[in-house]
């Protein structure tokens, strides 16, 4: 079924079994931002601006309750807000393709000849992919470079815990806590919280700080997993056409709102 295969696709970008729809945090009042937090925000924004695109094969290993799933897929991500995922069969052929591009979500399941099309909003991505995030957030997670939050209300450097110092950022949409190197801006961990969902991502990096994959946990969903990149290429160039797919004329089209 399309829902089953789409949830496989969502494993790459943080599988969650959530109630459809997206509850958002109540926007807090704006607070003055101290200089150390402002510098950290500037550093993160600079690293985000240096990212153009990512393409890689990815091995996924996911546990949720009694279920254990393994999957091989192809991942493309391009700043600011384009993502393509292909779930591959054991023979290496894609059986499902899902894209987020130009504000639109399109998913096509070749096994069932079903296609889902709709606006790429937190509501539609939650319904189809269990991903209640804006597309630019997904790109940031995959790249290991969190996209700057719009309308920041609170930003502060928090005291170190067992994982080290972190930056807390609260916007009108959700909250991020970012464990990072405050000299280089390299992110070690990222926690995103908003309404009904919570995810923590721990990155695996090479000797030069390049992302090789990540582990994640979604406590409220009872899900944990690991995504391992195979020979990722960053800023190698990905054409916009790769993020545009047209389902076959024979496909059953399901409109999302």
């Amino acid at each position: 079924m399309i829902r089953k295969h789409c949830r496989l696709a969502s494993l790459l970008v943080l599988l969650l079994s959530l109630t459809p729809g997206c509850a958002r945090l109540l926007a807090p009042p704006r607070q003055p931002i101290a200089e150390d937090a402002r510098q950290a925000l500037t550093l993160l924004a600079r690293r985000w601006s240096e990212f153009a695109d990512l393409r890689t094969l990815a091995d996924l290993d996911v546990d949720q309750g009694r279920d254990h799933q393994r999957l091989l897929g192809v991942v493309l991500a391009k700043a600011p807000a384009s993502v393509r995922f292909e779930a591959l069969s054991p023979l290496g052929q894609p059986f499902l393709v899902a894209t987020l591009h130009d504000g639109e979500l399109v998913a096509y399941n070749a096994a069932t000849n079903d296609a889902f099309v709709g606006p790429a909003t937190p509501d539609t991505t939650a319904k189809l992919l269990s991903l209640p995030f804006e597309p630019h957030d997904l790109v940031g997670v995959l790249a290991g470079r969190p996209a700057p939050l719009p309308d920041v209300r609170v930003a502060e450097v928090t005291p170190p815990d067992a994982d080290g110092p972190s930056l807390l950022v609260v916007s009108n949409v959700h909250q991020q806590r970012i464990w990072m190197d405050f000299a280089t801006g390299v992110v070690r961990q990222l926690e995103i919280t908003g309404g009904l969902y919570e995810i923590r991502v721990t990155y695996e990096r090479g000797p030069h700080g390049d992302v090789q994959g990540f582990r994640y946990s979604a406590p409220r969903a009872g899900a944990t997993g690991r995504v391992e990149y195979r020979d990722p290429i960053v800023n190698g160039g990905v054409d916009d056409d790769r993020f545009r797919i047209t389902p076959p004329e024979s496909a059953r089209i399901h409109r999302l709102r």
Side-chain angles (χ1 to χ4, degrees), residues 149-173:
L149 290 179
D151 195 17
V152 172
R153 302 301 182 91
V154 178
E156 59 184 20
V157 177
T158 63
D161 59 11
D163 296 313
S166 61
L167 176 69
L168 178 68
V169 186
V170 183
S171 75
N172 64 328
V173 177

Side-chain angles (χ1 to χ4, degrees), residues 36-113:
D36 57 352
R38 190 175 299 279
Q39 290 179 356
L41 288 173
T42 300
L43 187 56
L44 289 170
R46 186 178 72 195
R47 281 186 56 80
W48 167 252
S49 70
E50 293 169 351
F51 173 78
D53 53 66
L54 164 72
R55 66 178 185 269
T56 185
L57 281 173
D59 291 293
L60 298 91
D61 200 347
V62 179
D63 289 290
Q64 185 172 27
R66 297 182 179 179
D67 295 330
H68 179 78
Q69 300 187 62
R70 302 190 70 177
L71 181 69
L72 175 65
V74 176
V75 182
L76 302 177
K78 184 173 184 177
S82 296
V83 176
R84 177 186 176 110
F85 175 68
E86 299 177 3
L88 302 181
S89 72
L91 297 178
Q93 298 298 318
F95 64 82
L96 178 138
V97 180
T99 63
L100 303 174
H101 184 64
D102 283 345
E104 184 177 54
L105 182 155
V106 180
Y108 174 65
N109 185 345
T112 63
N113 202 30

Side-chain angles (χ1 to χ4, degrees), residues 5-216:
H5 291 307
C6 280
R7 287 191 183 276
L8 287 176
S10 74
L11 298 181
L12 178 62
V13 274
L14 311 178
L15 172 68
L16 292 175
S17 294
L18 300 173
T19 303
C22 177
R24 298 190 174 190
L25 292 174
L26 293 177
R30 298 183 189 279
Q31 297 182 15
I33 299 176
E35 184 59 27
D36 57 352
R38 190 175 299 279
Q39 290 179 356
L41 288 173
T42 300
L43 187 56
L44 289 170
R46 186 178 72 195
R47 281 186 56 80
W48 167 252
S49 70
E50 293 169 351
F51 173 78
D53 53 66
L54 164 72
R55 66 178 185 269
T56 185
L57 281 173
D59 291 293
L60 298 91
D61 200 347
V62 179
D63 289 290
Q64 185 172 27
R66 297 182 179 179
D67 295 330
H68 179 78
Q69 300 187 62
R70 302 190 70 177
L71 181 69
L72 175 65
V74 176
V75 182
L76 302 177
K78 184 173 184 177
S82 296
V83 176
R84 177 186 176 110
F85 175 68
E86 299 177 3
L88 302 181
S89 72
L91 297 178
Q93 298 298 318
F95 64 82
L96 178 138
V97 180
T99 63
L100 303 174
H101 184 64
D102 283 345
E104 184 177 54
L105 182 155
V106 180
Y108 174 65
N109 185 345
T112 63
N113 202 30
D114 284 294
F116 284 68
V117 180
T121 66
D123 288 334
T124 58
T125 56
K127 290 174 183 176
L128 186 61
L129 302 176
S130 294
L131 300 169
F133 302 125
E134 298 285 355
H136 63 269
D137 286 327
L138 298 183
V139 174
V141 167
L142 293 170
R145 304 174 185 232
L149 290 179
D151 195 17
V152 172
R153 302 301 182 91
V154 178
E156 59 184 20
V157 177
T158 63
D161 59 11
D163 296 313
S166 61
L167 176 69
L168 178 68
V169 186
V170 183
S171 75
N172 64 328
V173 177
H174 56 234
Q175 173 180 300
Q176 290 182 349
R177 188 177 179 190
I178 305 167
W179 287 262
M180 58 182 286
D181 184 321
F182 283 83
T184 65
V186 172
V187 173
R188 298 188 299 272
Q189 291 190 73
L190 170 66
E191 184 177 79
I192 302 176
T193 306
L196 298 176
Y197 61 91
E198 179 180 332
I199 297 172
R200 180 178 287 204
V201 178
T202 302
Y203 287 101
E204 299 174 357
R205 295 183 178 272
H208 301 293
D210 49 320
V211 175
Q212 299 297 309
F214 53 85
R215 291 176 285 111
Y216 73 88

